[in-house]
Amino acid sequence: MYNYIFFTNVLRVLDELQMTKHELADKSGVSISFLSDITTGKGNPSLKVMEDIAKALQTPLPLLLESTDLDKTSLEALAGEKVPSSLPPGYERVAAVLPEHQAFIVKKWAEATQKKLKKG
């Protein structure tokens, strides 16, 4: 799960900074091939690699590990290819800003869905 959050946030920050993956590779010392694997969800970066990327992006690592609010279409556009999903067909992960009472209901739905997925 943290890989998904990490690479979506890295892609978002790259886009915000108008920085290429090649520039990030140069600044972070992470090879372009491994960086490409990370930003397509195929790589499994160590904490050291994540720290190097965060420094190169001038972004605190905890911010890169927080939840992402990118939808799948935006994420795939930034990644330049189809992004693998850890969810079964018919399910999607979303992030939203809601009033407390609506957030409470959504959290209850999420708990019920997680239980259902664990059983199946």
Side-chain angles (χ1 to χ4, degrees), residues 75-87:
L75 175 61
E76 288 177 352
L78 285 173
E81 62 183 79
K82 187 167 174 64
V83 175
S85 176
S86 60
L87 299 173

Side-chain angles (χ1 to χ4, degrees), residues 73-107:
T73 304
S74 300
L75 175 61
E76 288 177 352
L78 285 173
E81 62 183 79
K82 187 167 174 64
V83 175
S85 176
S86 60
L87 299 173
Y91 289 86
E92 69 177 278
R93 187 172 284 112
V94 296
V97 177
L98 302 168
E100 283 183 15
H101 67 282
Q102 289 177 334
F104 175 81
I105 294 167
V106 171
K107 287 176 187 176

Side-chain angles (χ1 to χ4, degrees), residues 52-70:
D52 292 342
I53 291 170
K55 284 181 189 174
L57 293 173
Q58 298 178 340
T59 303
L61 181 56
L63 290 179
L64 295 177
L65 295 172
E66 289 181 359
S67 293
T68 182
D69 60 357
L70 286 180

Side-chain angles (χ1 to χ4, degrees), residues 107-120:
K107 287 176 187 176
K108 291 297 180 189
W109 290 343
E111 289 170 8
T113 300
Q114 288 172 352
K115 285 179 185 177
K116 183 178 178 181
L117 290 174
K118 285 181 182 179
K119 287 181 183 178

Side-chain angles (χ1 to χ4, degrees), residues 4-73:
Y4 175 81
I5 294 169
F6 181 73
F7 85 80
T8 59
N9 285 326
V10 167
L11 289 171
R12 181 183 48 76
V13 173
L14 279 173
D15 186 55
E16 289 170 0
L17 296 175
Q18 297 181 341
M19 182 186 291
T20 67
K21 290 179 188 177
H22 287 288
E23 291 170 323
L24 178 57
D26 290 342
K27 289 183 177 187
S28 67
V30 176
S31 74
I32 188 65
S33 62
F34 188 55
L35 190 58
S36 290
D37 284 348
I38 292 169
T39 57
T40 57
K42 298 173 190 166
N44 187 16
S46 67
L47 183 57
K48 170 77 170 100
V49 168
M50 289 190 286
E51 288 174 338
D52 292 342
I53 291 170
K55 284 181 189 174
L57 293 173
Q58 298 178 340
T59 303
L61 181 56
L63 290 179
L64 295 177
L65 295 172
E66 289 181 359
S67 293
T68 182
D69 60 357
L70 286 180
D71 61 79
K72 188 172 178 132
T73 304

